[in-house]
């Protein structure tokens, strides 16, 4: 069972009680897990908020973070004071283990130099919810390491997007507030379906990388990369070329081996630069020869369609069982500024997940799996959908 509540009361304690009471109304007893996203006055006095929430919930495990804005139950509050509370009873077979993790300052990359402190054994987990501080936790590097030590375990979450009055991170674990690192929860025995909507539409034909080094693509389909991209753009329809005028991205297939690649198979990354003389391009991901790529563009229509389709696929996978609830991590570049209307992602979740209790926040970066490995994204909506 899952419950969710959202409150915008200006008083942090009263708002926390209101949101927690709404979440508790759907449960028959104290939840096994609570997740809290707090903005405005709640980040100024987080201990007050957490104490009030636990007075109502008495949750066995609680994690959360400060947020620039929160969302849930069909509503989005992108600024100001608000708190979203999500609570779940995981049943007899489900369990949640919370943690606060930090990375040794000597760590500079993947391998022996990287020491992730206080991280539980994640092997065999149903999934992990991870809420890092963007300044003190190297999320990209940690996710790459987790792909090695816990392959196949989906990691979902988002970077905390608000700080305390002292300028420190606001990461919640129980009623304690951490100023650095990341908080998270290891889930086991839980039916969790990850959903990553990157908000970008594929354009043109697929091509294969035939020359690459780290972040640099030398050749596509045996020709200089830049010239190949220019040729693909010239083949587009006038409407598609108009979409490219707003900026072009590159979708990179991460999990190869499928006869056909669909929208969700591509890891979408920015093209960071190009050298007209050599024809090389730089992209925001490590690439290698043999990978398939395709141009992508991002706009509100693509983002709306992508989220609707991605959620629909997850609901279909439940074979008629309604979703129990969902946690959502939406980019702080989405919202009304992207879609031109308020509450877009929250209403899409409410509609596609058939009213299942949801809560989330506008993150400074979103975490979710593509091709069997979890990455840090931008401009996405990543969703942890929980089965009933």
């Amino acid at each position: 069972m899952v419950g969710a509540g959202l409150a915008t009361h200006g008083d942090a304690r009263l708002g926390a009680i209101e949101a927690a009471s709404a979440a508790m109304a759907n449960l028959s007893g104290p939840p096994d897990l609570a997740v809290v996203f707090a903005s405005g006055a709640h980040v100024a006095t987080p201990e007050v908020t957490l104490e009030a929430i636990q007075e109502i919930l008495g949750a066995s495990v609680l994690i959360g973070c400060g947020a620039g804005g929160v969302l849930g139950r069909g509503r989005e509050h992108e600024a100001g004071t608000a708190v979203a509370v999500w609570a779940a009873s995981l049943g007899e077979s489900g369990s949640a283990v919370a943690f606060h993790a930090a990375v040794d300052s000597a760590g500079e990359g993947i391998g022996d130099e990287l020491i992730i402190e206080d991280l539980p054994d994640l092997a065999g987990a149903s999934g992990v919810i991870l809420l890092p501080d963007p300044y003190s936790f190297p999320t990209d590097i940690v996710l790459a390491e987790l792909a090695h030590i816990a392959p196949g375990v989906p990691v979902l979450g988002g970077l905390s997007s608000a700080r305390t009055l002292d300028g420190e991170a606001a990461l919640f674990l129980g009623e304690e507030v951490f100023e650095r690192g990341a908080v998270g929860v290891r889930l086991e025995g839980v039916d969790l379906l990850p959903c990553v909507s990157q908000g970008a539409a594929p354009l043109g034909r697929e091509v294969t990388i035939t020359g690459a080094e780290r972040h640099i693509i030398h050749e596509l389909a045996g020709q200089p990369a830049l010239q190949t991209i220019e040729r693909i753009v010239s083949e587009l329809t006038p409407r598609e070329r108009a979409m490219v005028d707003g900026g072009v991205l590159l979708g990179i297939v991460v999990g190869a081996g499928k006869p056909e690649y669909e929208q969700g198979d591509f890891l979408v990354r920015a093209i960071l630069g190009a050298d007209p003389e050599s024809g090389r391009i730089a992209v925001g991901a490590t690439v290698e020869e043999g990978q398939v790529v395709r141009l992508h563009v991002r706009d509100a229509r693509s983002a709306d369609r992508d989220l609707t389709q991605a959620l629909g696929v997850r609901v279909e996978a439940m074979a008629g069982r309604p979703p129990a609830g969902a946690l959502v991590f939406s980019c702080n570049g989405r919202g009304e500024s992207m879609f031109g209307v308020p509450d877009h992602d929250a209403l899409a979740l409410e509609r596609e997940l058939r009213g299942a209790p949801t809560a989330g926040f506008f993150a400074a970066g979103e975490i979710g799996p593509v091709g069997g490995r979890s990455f840090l994204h931008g401009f996405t909506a990543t969703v942890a959908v929980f089965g009933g």
Side-chain angles (χ1 to χ4, degrees):
M1 298 177 64
V2 176
L6 190 153
T8 58
H9 199 292
D11 181 277
R13 176 174 172 79
L14 294 179
I17 291 173
E18 180 183 337
S21 298
M24 193 66 183
N26 208 37
L27 305 177
S28 58
D32 300 307
L33 171 65
V35 187
V36 176
F37 306 112
S39 66
H42 296 284
V43 186
T45 57
E47 293 86 358
V48 171
T49 295
L50 295 174
E51 180 182 7
I53 289 172
Q54 280 294 63
E55 284 180 12
I56 302 298
L57 295 183
S60 301
V61 169
L62 183 149
I63 65 166
C65 68
V70 305
L71 63 155
R73 305 312 303 254
R75 302 159 59 196
E76 296 180 2
H77 292 271
E78 299 183 55
T81 294
V83 60
V85 177
W86 188 91
S89 297
L90 302 179
E92 294 183 2
S93 61
S95 65
V97 177
F99 60 87
H100 169 253
V103 172
D104 188 283
S105 59
E108 296 178 354
I110 302 170
D112 294 337
E113 293 297 319
L114 182 69
I115 302 173
I116 309 174
E117 301 172 344
D118 301 321
L119 188 73
D121 181 8
L122 302 182
S126 304
V128 176
I129 305 300
L130 187 67
L131 305 173
D133 168 43
Y135 299 102
S136 62
F137 195 80
T139 304
D140 264 331
I141 296 175
V142 170
L143 291 175
E145 180 71 2
L146 294 184
H148 290 281
I149 64 178
V153 174
V155 182
L156 296 105
L159 303 185
S160 174
S161 55
R163 308 186 77 74
T164 66
L165 294 177
D166 296 329
E168 302 291 346
L171 306 174
F172 313 145
L173 182 60
E175 294 184 27
E176 190 171 357
V177 180
F178 288 90
E179 298 178 344
R180 297 177 60 82
V183 295
V185 61
R186 178 195 191 275
L187 299 169
E188 187 167 350
V190 173
D191 184 10
L192 186 153
L193 290 176
C195 174
V196 177
S197 172
Q198 298 187 76
L203 291 178
R205 53 188 168 88
E206 296 173 357
V207 289
T208 301
I209 299 174
T210 51
E213 181 181 3
R214 295 179 62 82
H215 297 271
I216 305 298
I217 300 177
H218 298 275
E219 291 184 353
L220 291 171
Q223 299 295 320
L226 181 58
Q227 282 73 18
T228 302
I229 289 176
E230 291 173 341
R231 189 175 303 114
I232 293 172
V233 171
S234 71
E235 298 166 356
L236 300 176
T237 66
R239 177 183 173 277
E240 290 172 332
R241 285 198 295 273
M243 295 173 67
V244 169
D245 290 341
V248 66
L249 307 165
L250 196 67
I252 306 161
V253 173
V254 178
K258 296 178 64 175
E260 293 184 6
Y261 299 112
E262 301 175 351
Q263 192 161 348
D265 296 323
F266 293 91
L267 175 65
V268 178
R269 288 293 186 258
I271 297 177
L272 304 177
D275 181 1
E277 291 189 9
S278 66
R280 295 178 297 181
I281 63 171
V283 297
T286 302
V287 293
E288 56 188 37
E289 293 182 14
Q291 284 185 303
V292 175
V293 300
R294 190 176 181 186
L295 299 185
H296 281 65
V297 292
R298 182 175 283 124
D299 63 0
R301 183 185 299 179
S302 299
D304 174 69
R305 182 173 60 249
D306 188 29
L307 180 57
T308 298
Q309 292 176 348
L311 291 172
V313 168
R314 273 64 186 181
V315 171
E316 286 180 9
M318 293 183 177
R321 293 178 296 117
L327 290 167
V328 57
F329 313 95
S330 184
C331 177
N332 53 18
R334 290 170 69 100
E336 191 166 359
S337 64
M338 182 175 187
F339 296 103
V341 295
D343 306 327
H344 176 274
D345 286 352
L347 286 173
L349 287 158
E350 187 86 353
R351 181 182 66 248
E352 300 302 324
L353 299 183
R354 305 173 185 176
T358 61
F361 78 108
F362 288 97
E366 309 78 57
I367 302 168
V370 174
R373 180 191 149 189
S374 295
F375 295 89
L376 182 62
H377 306 276
F379 285 94
T380 67
T382 67
V383 187
V385 181
F386 290 80

